[in-house]
Amino acid sequence: MIPHLHATDLACERDGRMLFEHLQLPLHAGDMLQVSGPNGSGKTSLLRLLAGLMLPTAGQVLLNGKPLAEQRSEAGHNLLWIGHAAGIKDLLSAEENLAWLCALHTPANHRQIGVALEAVGLRGYEDVPCHTLSAGQQRRVALARLHLPGPPLWILDEPFTALDKQGVVQLELHLARHCERGGTVVLTTHHSLTRQPASYRELDLGRYAP
């Protein structure tokens, strides 16, 4: 079976320093990969490489068997990226932000967005400008994308940032269920996951430092 996402002999150099090299990483439907490693080991850089936001120093990333570098215009339709920052526009409402973000892959209607915001505990905040929301609420707006129609591959950089205890539990459950339904998740987090799907594994980037 062709891996959903496959990094082959991947290397990444930043500011004249090799962060990691010779990384082999096949990911199939149902897999959850937690990327760990010491500060400066290249965790965010690896996720950006897998999302097609950076080019590797060596090696390549394959998405559904084809080089990701040749699918840059289609990447938004094939994977969902949520970075360490919430990535939302302050002057737009929660609903407007989600409508704009979802246009990158699968457009969502008013009802779907309302259901997604309710799923992350933001019912009643649909029309509220995001600059008035707390950091945790802004993070929930970004994570509401995970409750909308979209690609099965999720690449998430520190998705638990600013969430309260209830938000952490809900997100853990949702990520595990996504994998159990055949989705794929790659994430970085300092949080110890208590809910892990059967195909969970951890990648310590420190092992790939030169």
Side-chain angles (χ1 to χ4, degrees):
M1 181 183 298
I2 297 176
H4 191 182
L5 189 68
H6 193 186
T8 61
D9 203 26
L10 206 62
C12 179
E13 181 181 347
R14 295 291 302 274
D15 300 323
R17 184 172 71 92
M18 189 69 73
L19 300 180
F20 55 83
E21 57 186 353
H22 307 306
L23 176 62
Q24 310 290 338
L25 180 61
L27 287 166
H28 295 85
D31 286 351
M32 177 184 287
L33 178 73
Q34 180 178 349
V35 180
S36 64
N39 291 339
S41 60
K43 298 185 291 295
T44 294
S45 293
L46 174 59
L47 263 61
R48 291 179 64 84
L49 289 172
L50 297 179
L53 301 174
M54 289 172 48
L55 294 175
T57 303
Q60 66 176 343
V61 178
L62 303 176
L63 180 63
N64 297 321
K66 299 179 181 179
L68 183 57
E70 299 174 6
Q71 306 179 61
R72 296 181 69 84
S73 61
E74 298 90 2
H77 298 284
N78 293 307
L79 61 89
L80 190 156
W81 157 265
I82 299 179
H84 186 268
I88 58 177
K89 295 184 178 295
D90 287 348
L91 296 179
L92 297 183
S93 69
E95 181 175 348
E96 289 170 336
N97 263 291
L98 290 175
W100 174 70
L101 289 166
C102 288
L104 296 172
H105 43 81
T106 306
N109 59 39
H110 173 77
R111 183 193 63 80
Q112 291 171 317
I113 291 174
V115 170
L117 288 171
E118 183 173 4
V120 295
L122 289 179
R123 182 178 182 181
Y125 289 85
E126 295 86 352
D127 298 323
V128 176
C130 285
H131 71 84
T132 68
L133 301 178
S134 69
Q137 289 171 324
Q138 291 183 13
R139 170 61 58 174
R140 287 171 183 260
V141 172
L143 293 173
R145 296 172 66 192
L146 304 180
H147 295 268
L148 289 165
L153 171 59
W154 297 350
I155 300 179
L156 313 173
D157 191 9
E158 297 289 347
F160 296 95
T161 298
L163 292 182
D164 58 20
K165 185 178 295 186
Q166 181 182 7
V168 168
V169 171
Q170 290 174 338
L171 179 56
E172 276 201 14
L173 179 62
H174 189 60
L175 296 181
R177 285 177 173 171
H178 179 66
C179 293
E180 289 161 2
R181 298 186 187 112
T184 307
V185 174
V186 184
L187 77 160
T188 62
T189 178
H190 295 291
H191 168 72
S192 296
L193 299 174
T194 59
R195 176 69 186 265
Q196 301 171 354
S199 294
Y200 167 89
R201 68 184 191 272
E202 187 173 337
L203 171 70
D204 180 3
L205 266 187
R207 294 171 46 206
Y208 294 88

